[in-house]
């Protein structure tokens, strides 16, 4: 006896109207922060070397860690301003909801900002010119767009691509920001992703400080 054919319907709990902007705008915050923060810091140390300012830094008692923090903090403020502008445009122009805590949204953005800035600093200590630093930045930016889940569903990607994506800060940020803004989740529920970002920040910043030397060669 054939089984009865049951109707199947797919229900989107957090975006029932399937408005594309609701999914795109939270991810767009991460894309903009990744593109700008990594590039800003990637050329920072290289620019000092090319313009001859490294001689002045060598003569100062500033340590490597203090110099790195001095490079990171101003760009961090710029990143928060960018986050606020995208959020404001998303809410006013596209009616994107913020179902979770706004403070959690900013904490998630701060983690991504610091992760991208530390990665940019590491690139800056490796690059020999500003052009080379920009090229190295694109090697990070393009995989972040394609593999993080911003353009394609994460679960639909091949397993090797998912493994690579787990090492990208944007992957974890998208889970955080979409969880907070669209599902109303708390950061305590999303601890694996913010912990992954914290580990990434510590690792990249440690490597950047270890690689940086206040010298001309």
């Amino acid at each position: 006896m054939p089984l009865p054919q049951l109707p199947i319907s797919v229900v989107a709990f957090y975006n029932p109207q399937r408005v594309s902007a609701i999914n795109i705008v939270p991810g767009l915050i991460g894309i903009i922060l990744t593109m700008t923060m990594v590039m800003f810091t990637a050329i920072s140390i290289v620019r000092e070397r090319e313009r001859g300012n490294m001689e002045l830094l060598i003569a100062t008692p500033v340590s490597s860690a203090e110099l790195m923090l001095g490079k990171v903090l101003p760009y961090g403020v710029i990143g928060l301003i960018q986050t606020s502008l995208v959020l404001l445009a998303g809410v006013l122009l596209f009616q994107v909801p913020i179902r979770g805590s706004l403070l959690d949204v900013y904490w998630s953005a701060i983690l991504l900002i610091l992760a991208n800035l530390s990665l940019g600093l590491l690139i800056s200590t490796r690059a020999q010119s500003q052009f080379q630093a920009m090229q190295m930045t694109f090697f990070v930016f393009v995989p972040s767009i394609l593999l993080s889940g911003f353009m394609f569903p994460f679960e639909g990607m091949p397993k090797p691509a998912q493994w690579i994506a787990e090492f990208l800060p944007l992957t974890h940020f998208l889970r955080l920001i979409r969880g907070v803004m669209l599902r109303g989740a708390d950061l305590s529920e999303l601890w694996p992703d913010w912990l992954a970002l914290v580990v990434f920040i510590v690792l990249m910043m440690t490597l950047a400080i270890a690689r940086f030397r206040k010298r001309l060669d």
Side-chain angles (χ1 to χ4, degrees), residues 100-168:
S101 169
L102 187 61
L103 184 61
D104 287 346
V105 172
Y106 276 99
W107 273 120
S108 302
I110 289 173
L111 288 176
L112 181 66
I113 290 169
L114 293 177
N116 287 328
L117 290 178
S118 59
L119 178 59
L121 285 175
L122 181 61
I123 293 175
S124 182
T125 61
R126 184 67 179 85
Q128 300 300 316
S129 66
Q130 293 188 55
F131 180 71
Q132 186 181 16
M134 293 179 66
Q135 286 182 316
M136 295 172 68
T137 299
F138 281 107
F139 276 106
V140 176
F141 183 54
V142 174
S144 295
I145 295 179
L146 297 179
L147 302 180
S148 63
F150 175 74
M151 292 188 65
F152 311 106
F154 186 84
E155 296 298 332
M157 294 189 299
K159 287 297 180 182
Q162 294 183 21
W163 296 336
I164 296 173
E166 292 295 340
F167 292 94
L168 301 173

Side-chain angles (χ1 to χ4, degrees), residues 144-197:
S144 295
I145 295 179
L146 297 179
L147 302 180
S148 63
F150 175 74
M151 292 188 65
F152 311 106
F154 186 84
E155 296 298 332
M157 294 189 299
K159 287 297 180 182
Q162 294 183 21
W163 296 336
I164 296 173
E166 292 295 340
F167 292 94
L168 301 173
L170 184 58
T171 302
H172 301 283
F173 173 77
L174 290 181
R175 295 172 184 165
L176 290 174
I177 197 69
R178 286 173 175 167
V180 173
M181 289 185 63
L182 306 184
R183 294 194 290 110
D186 189 81
L187 284 185
S188 60
E189 305 172 33
L190 306 169
W191 68 266
D193 292 299
W194 66 253
L195 181 59
L197 287 176

